[in-house]
Amino acid sequence: MASSSYSNPPCAACKFLRRKCVPDCVFAPYFPPEEPQKFINVHRIFGASNVSKLLNEVLPHQREDAVNSLAYEAEARVKDPVYGCVGAISVLQRQVMSLQKELDATNADLIRYACGDMMPNNASNVRFFQGSGSRQVHGHGGAAGGSSSSCFGHHHGSSGTYFLGGDGHQGR
């Protein structure tokens, strides 16, 4: 005869392991039934027994973070079995370095434009537009055919566009 009390559905771990989910199941709070792939990945990489031992050794307030870390690493290992999340971190670090080099080069170009290094000696002004506001910065032509060593201005932000000359063409 079936029990008259209806219990909650088993957690993803107990369902996958085909066992009864007891009220004090160590997996239940962290592997809900609607997220079966989370447990499947963790089990495939670390094993249910190891995860159970780990959760019992970790302080209760740290368990959720531990499970999230295990789940992240397991998902990364499924995608990249050799390097896991270290491979993903390495790819992102290379991307950051590449973008930083590009940003540095662009900033150097902007400073050269603003300082007049790439402009004809007779340039009378530089306009730049930043965000919604704009201003004109007037340059100095230098002495008797010589080039000016003064800089028109600096732009230290990561956004904004410099426009050179009076014709509104963007310089680069």
Side-chain angles (χ1 to χ4, degrees), residues 11 49 112 132 138:
C11 68
S49 178
R112 280 196 303 275
S132 61
H138 296 282

Side-chain angles (χ1 to χ4, degrees), residues 4-63:
S4 62
S5 66
Y6 178 75
S7 64
N8 289 332
C11 68
C14 292
K15 185 173 182 177
F16 181 79
L17 298 171
R18 295 187 176 136
R19 65 182 195 190
K20 183 176 181 179
C21 193
V22 294
D24 62 340
C25 175
V26 70
F27 297 118
Y30 314 107
F31 298 103
E34 57 274 358
E35 295 180 33
Q37 196 61 46
K38 181 178 178 181
F39 179 76
I40 291 169
N41 290 344
V42 169
H43 172 63
R44 182 182 302 158
I45 302 301
F46 300 106
S49 178
N50 289 331
V51 174
S52 176
K53 288 176 192 174
L54 181 117
L55 289 176
N56 286 321
E57 291 176 7
V58 173
L59 296 173
H61 71 277
Q62 295 176 327
R63 288 180 183 166

Side-chain angles (χ1 to χ4, degrees), residues 46 57 71 95 99 102 111 127 141 151 155 161-162:
F46 300 106
E57 291 176 7
Q95 243 182 347
L99 291 170
E102 186 179 338
I111 289 171
R127 290 186 301 164
C151 191
H155 174 67
T161 305
Y162 281 85

Side-chain angles (χ1 to χ4, degrees), residues 92-103:
L92 291 172
Q93 284 177 330
R94 284 193 300 271
Q95 243 182 347
V96 166
M97 288 188 311
S98 173
L99 291 170
Q100 185 63 52
K101 286 179 185 177
E102 186 179 338
L103 179 62

Side-chain angles (χ1 to χ4, degrees), residues 136-153:
Q136 281 197 350
V137 181
H138 296 282
H140 305 285
S147 65
S148 172
S149 62
S150 67
C151 191
F152 299 135

Side-chain angles (χ1 to χ4, degrees), residues 37 40-42 44-46 70-89 91-92:
Q37 196 61 46
I40 291 169
N41 290 344
V42 169
R44 182 182 302 158
I45 302 301
F46 300 106
L70 290 171
Y72 183 81
E73 177 64 28
E75 185 177 339
R77 286 278 171 190
V78 167
K79 291 177 184 175
D80 183 354
V82 175
Y83 295 108
C85 66
V86 173
I89 291 168
V91 166
L92 291 172

